[in-house]
Amino acid sequence: RKRIKESARLRLREFDVGDKYSRLPLPKASVLLPLMVRAGKLHLLLTVRSLQLRRSPGEVCFPGGKREAIDKDEIDTALREAKEEVGLQPEKVEVICRLVPGIDKMNNLVTPVVGFIEDTFQAIPNPDEVSDVFVVPLEYFVKPLNYKALSYKNSSGYFSRMHCFTYDDCERKTSFKIWGLTAHFAVFLALVIFGERPTFEVDYDLNNLISSSENNFMNLYASLYERKKSNL
């Protein structure tokens, strides 16, 4: 377990963007990508949004949400939201890094914060926000059994590839659909840690993953900025 964690830590730290994108003039949000080691393999914890929520009810996502005035940075936001949503205490998270952000459909700048949690963690879902919590082997996001790519128009008006995974949890006899920005972050995390070619197409130069992921993001941000300007 120690070896698996140490190797993942080293890879992740190479991709840490710190506060590089924190000053971009967009509303801020963060998500926590909680990693754990189970049965000798890395797993990722995900949640299902409550059906009572107005936005994206029933969708799979990472614990997270919008930045509040009390948060000093993106890490604070992710940890606070994880505590509120699934009862994960901030001191029980070993924060490793912040990865290249994404932009959601509400044009929030969403920063993924990666951290290790104990494999014994028992989630206490807040029923107002979360209807279910489950874990997926991280490897599933480079070698899925059930995958399709959807073409969609992103927030800047360009067509882009959206990953869509169906994960069958055999123990619980439940299937989960993981797509959108959640799938985008999970795929990037798996590419960073495993450093291998996935079984499906991705919009990155895998030989230059750091620079191509940052270029992709900046192109998305620039086109969003141009569109906002033309709407003024």
Side-chain angles (χ1 to χ4, degrees):
R1 176 180 298 178
K2 271 185 180 167
R3 208 172 69 242
I4 293 169
K5 278 188 172 182
E6 191 46 41
S7 144
R9 270 189 208 102
L10 291 172
R11 289 281 298 170
L12 285 163
R13 285 189 182 130
E14 285 178 46
F15 286 79
D16 187 7
V17 298
D19 61 0
K20 185 173 180 176
Y21 299 101
S22 302
R23 289 165 196 81
L24 292 179
L26 290 174
K28 306 292 189 290
S30 292
V31 289
L32 182 68
L33 279 51
L35 282 170
M36 62 175 79
V37 181
R38 273 192 183 170
K41 283 188 172 183
L42 286 169
H43 286 68
L44 201 48
L45 180 137
L46 292 136
T47 69
V48 180
R49 288 171 65 83
S50 163
L51 289 169
Q52 302 160 28
L53 291 170
R54 226 178 40 243
R55 197 164 59 79
S56 309
E59 284 189 11
V60 168
C61 63
F62 290 110
K66 283 193 167 183
R67 183 166 183 169
E68 291 185 3
I70 53 167
D71 303 330
K72 68 175 194 286
D73 59 16
E74 296 92 347
I75 294 169
D76 259 16
T77 304
L79 295 178
R80 176 183 52 73
E81 288 282 349
K83 183 182 178 184
E84 287 172 15
E85 290 179 13
V86 296
L88 178 59
Q89 299 299 323
E91 64 274 12
K92 297 283 188 187
V93 183
E94 181 204 343
V95 174
I96 308 294
C97 68
R98 285 171 273 191
L99 297 177
V100 174
I103 298 173
D104 69 11
K105 50 192 175 220
M106 311 296 288
N107 292 336
N108 293 304
L109 181 77
V110 185
T111 299
V113 175
V114 186
F116 275 112
I117 64 172
E118 287 301 321
D119 64 325
T120 51
F121 169 66
Q122 293 291 318
I124 305 162
N126 172 352
D128 294 336
E129 299 192 47
V130 173
S131 65
D132 205 353
V133 179
F134 64 104
V135 297
V136 180
L138 184 61
E139 196 178 41
Y140 197 80
F141 297 105
V142 282
K143 293 177 182 170
L145 298 174
N146 192 335
Y147 169 87
K148 64 181 177 197
L150 307 171
S151 179
Y152 80 107
K153 210 181 220 183
N154 65 29
S155 57
S156 310
Y158 289 98
F159 279 95
S160 200
R161 191 198 324 267
M162 184 187 287
H163 305 297
C164 184
F165 300 85
T166 302
Y167 177 68
D168 296 318
D169 189 324
C170 303
E171 274 179 36
R172 299 167 54 187
K173 298 184 171 49
T174 310
S175 286
F176 297 99
K177 184 181 170 187
I178 307 161
W179 62 294
L181 199 53
T182 301
H184 168 82
F185 287 149
V187 167
F188 187 65
L189 181 66
L191 292 175
V192 166
I193 289 178
F194 296 125
E196 59 184 66
R197 194 165 287 279
T199 57
F200 50 89
E201 292 293 313
V202 288
D203 297 323
Y204 299 113
D205 172 359
L206 294 173
N207 297 316
N208 298 291
L209 189 53
I210 293 179
S211 57
S212 82
S213 61
E214 296 206 35
N215 288 342
N216 284 4
F217 170 72
M218 285 315 295
N219 289 340
L220 176 65
Y221 173 70
S223 53
L224 174 68
Y225 184 74
E226 282 304 313
R227 214 183 54 169
K228 274 187 169 177
K229 232 168 45 177
S230 65
N231 288 343
L232 290 176

